[in-house]
Structures are given as structure tokens and as C-alpha cells.
Amino acid sequence: DEESTSSFMCLLKKKKEARCMENILAEKQEDFRERMEVLAERWRDLHARRAQLKAHVERSGKTVQENEVLRNEALKKANEDREENMKRERELLRAKRELEALRKQHQKLCKKLPKYSMFKKYLEDVVEISQFQDIEEIISFYKALVRSRKDLLQSQQWHKELTEQAKVLLEQYKAEKAAEMLQCKNDLVQLKRYLHQAQSDVPLWEDRLADMQNTADKNTMKLKAIKMAIHNLFQ
């Protein structure tokens, strides 16, 4: 069904192109005819002006210098007219080539039309048994479905890309947190080692503190004895 619809759409497109080509061909033919009429009119005008110039030269009794000026002007005008005619001929040749190319394209499209005629009948039968009013409405509905499918695929692709990005970010986050946890574990082990070392050093420092306290007590007793001896000595 999708292939048939696509083929019929190609048929309608080819028909539309054929009509456009016919219109363009008609316009080119009309333009070609108008250009031919303008060219013929220019040729008639040129011959008329040449005849007038010749008659004027023959009738005039002007001096040689004036005749030379007229002749130069006539030659200049003739050269300008010749250049204009050459330009028109080039435009006419280009228009003929364009017209021939359009005619060949039109013939090519006309040859393709019978190939898709069966699909027109198929879509006409679809219109009769469906809620659609005409073939153009079916084509419009089909184009809308194609656009919706395209938008859906783009949306799915977008969500897929977002999901992939989220996965990459999640893996990066996991790796970072795992590295942080490993560092914390290493720090905890080091701190435990320091704690055990400190706990093992506590008795030693307690013993040293006790020795220092005994020494201080002895020094205090000695100091009291010295004070007492000095006091007794003064009395």
C-alpha cells in the first residue's frame, strides 16, 4: 500500500510537472513568437531608416563634409543596429535551445504518465470506501503521517542521545565517587594507623609524666627544706 501510494504520488507529481512544462513551453513559444515579431519589426525599421537615409542623401545638396558626417553617422547607426541584431539573434538561439530542452523534458514526462495510471484508479477506489473527499486529501493525510513519523524518529533519536549522554555522565560520576571513596578509605586506614600508634605511645607518656611529677614533688620538698633552713638560719 505504501509503495502504491508513493507511486501514485509520483504520478501526480509527474502530471503536475508535465502541466508546468506545458505552461512553460507555451510561454516560451509565445516569447519566441514575440521576439521574432520584434526582430522582424527591427529589420523593417532598419530597412526603412536605410531607405530614408539614402533618399535624404540623394535629395540633399549639402557639401561633401556634410555628406561625410551623414555617412559616418549612418555607418555608426548601421554598426549599432548590426550589434543589436546579433544580440537578438543570440537571445533567439538561446531561447530555441531552452525551448527544445523543455520539449524533450515534456516528452519524457508524457512517456512516464501511463506507468502510473493504475495507481490513480486504486486511489479513486480508496476515496469511495473511506472518509476522504478526494485524492488530494489522501495525499495530504499521507504527507502529514510522513512528517509525524519523521518528527517521531527525530524525537526518539534525541531521547536516545540524551540517554547515552546521561549514561556517560553517570559513569563519570560513579568513577569520581569511587575514586573519592578509595581516597577516603586510604585516609581512614592512615588515621587508624596514627591512632594505634598514639594509643601505644600513651603508657610511655604516662610513665614519663609520672616520673616528671615525682621529680617535681622531690624538688618541691627540697625547696621547702631549703626555705626552712634559711628561715632557721635568720632566726
Side-chain angles (χ1 to χ4, degrees):
D1 293 342
E2 183 177 355
E3 183 179 359
S4 301
T5 305
S6 178
S7 300
F8 183 72
M9 289 181 63
C10 292
L11 172 62
L12 293 181
K13 183 177 180 181
K14 295 299 181 182
K15 281 188 174 182
K16 185 177 181 180
E17 291 178 354
R19 288 195 298 270
C20 292
M21 293 303 298
E22 289 175 354
N23 294 333
I24 295 174
L25 182 61
E27 292 177 358
K28 291 293 182 180
Q29 289 176 345
E30 181 63 20
D31 184 64
F32 177 75
R33 184 184 63 79
E34 292 177 355
R35 290 183 180 181
M36 289 296 294
E37 291 178 357
V38 171
L39 186 60
E41 182 65 24
R42 287 182 175 272
W43 276 108
R44 288 193 296 269
D45 183 65
L46 176 61
H47 287 301
R49 281 186 287 178
R50 285 181 178 177
Q52 292 176 0
L53 182 60
K54 183 178 180 181
H56 179 70
V57 172
E58 291 176 352
R59 290 193 304 267
S60 64
K62 296 181 179 180
T63 62
V64 176
Q65 185 178 2
E66 292 175 344
N67 290 334
E68 184 67 19
V69 172
L70 291 174
R71 189 178 71 84
N72 292 333
E73 291 180 353
L75 290 175
K76 182 180 179 181
K77 184 63 177 177
N79 291 330
E80 292 177 354
D81 292 339
R82 183 166 55 255
E83 292 178 357
E84 183 68 20
N85 290 331
M86 292 176 63
K87 181 180 179 181
R88 294 295 180 182
E89 287 177 358
R90 288 194 296 269
E91 292 178 355
L92 183 61
L93 180 60
R94 184 170 62 252
K96 285 182 179 179
R97 291 175 181 174
E98 292 177 356
L99 184 62
E100 183 64 24
L102 291 173
R103 186 181 291 110
K104 289 181 180 180
Q105 190 174 2
H106 179 262
Q107 292 176 355
K108 185 178 179 180
L109 291 174
C110 290
K111 290 180 181 179
K112 291 183 179 180
L113 285 177
K115 180 181 178 181
Y116 300 100
S117 59
M118 58 180 294
F119 300 105
K120 180 180 179 182
K121 181 63 172 60
Y122 170 78
L123 287 181
E124 288 175 349
D125 294 338
V126 173
V127 171
E128 291 180 359
I129 62 175
S130 66
Q131 74 275 15
F132 298 104
Q133 300 296 324
D134 51 27
I135 296 177
E136 293 294 335
E137 187 176 356
I138 295 178
I139 295 175
S140 299
F141 182 73
Y142 174 76
K143 290 181 178 179
L145 289 178
V146 171
R147 287 194 299 270
S148 299
R149 183 175 182 273
K150 182 179 179 181
D151 294 338
L152 179 60
L153 291 177
Q154 290 179 349
S155 178
Q156 290 177 350
Q157 182 65 26
W158 182 66
H159 284 295
K160 182 179 179 181
E161 292 176 356
L162 288 180
T163 303
E164 295 296 330
Q165 293 178 1
K167 287 182 179 179
V168 172
L169 293 175
L170 180 60
E171 293 298 327
Q172 293 178 353
Y173 179 78
K174 286 182 178 180
E176 293 175 357
K177 292 304 177 183
E180 291 179 1
M181 290 179 64
L182 180 61
Q183 184 64 35
C184 291
K185 288 180 179 179
N186 293 333
D187 294 341
L188 182 60
V189 171
Q190 187 68 24
L191 291 174
K192 286 182 178 180
R193 187 179 298 112
Y194 291 155
L195 177 60
H196 292 159
Q197 183 66 33
Q199 288 176 348
S200 62
D201 292 341
V202 166
L204 177 62
W205 286 105
E206 288 179 346
D207 292 340
R208 289 184 179 181
L209 181 61
D211 292 339
M212 292 173 65
Q213 187 66 39
N214 292 331
T215 302
D217 291 340
K218 290 179 180 180
N219 290 332
T220 301
M221 293 177 66
K222 288 180 179 180
L223 181 61
K224 288 181 178 180
I226 292 171
K227 287 181 177 180
M228 183 64 68
I230 292 172
H231 180 72
N232 294 329
L233 180 61
F234 278 102
Q235 286 184 354

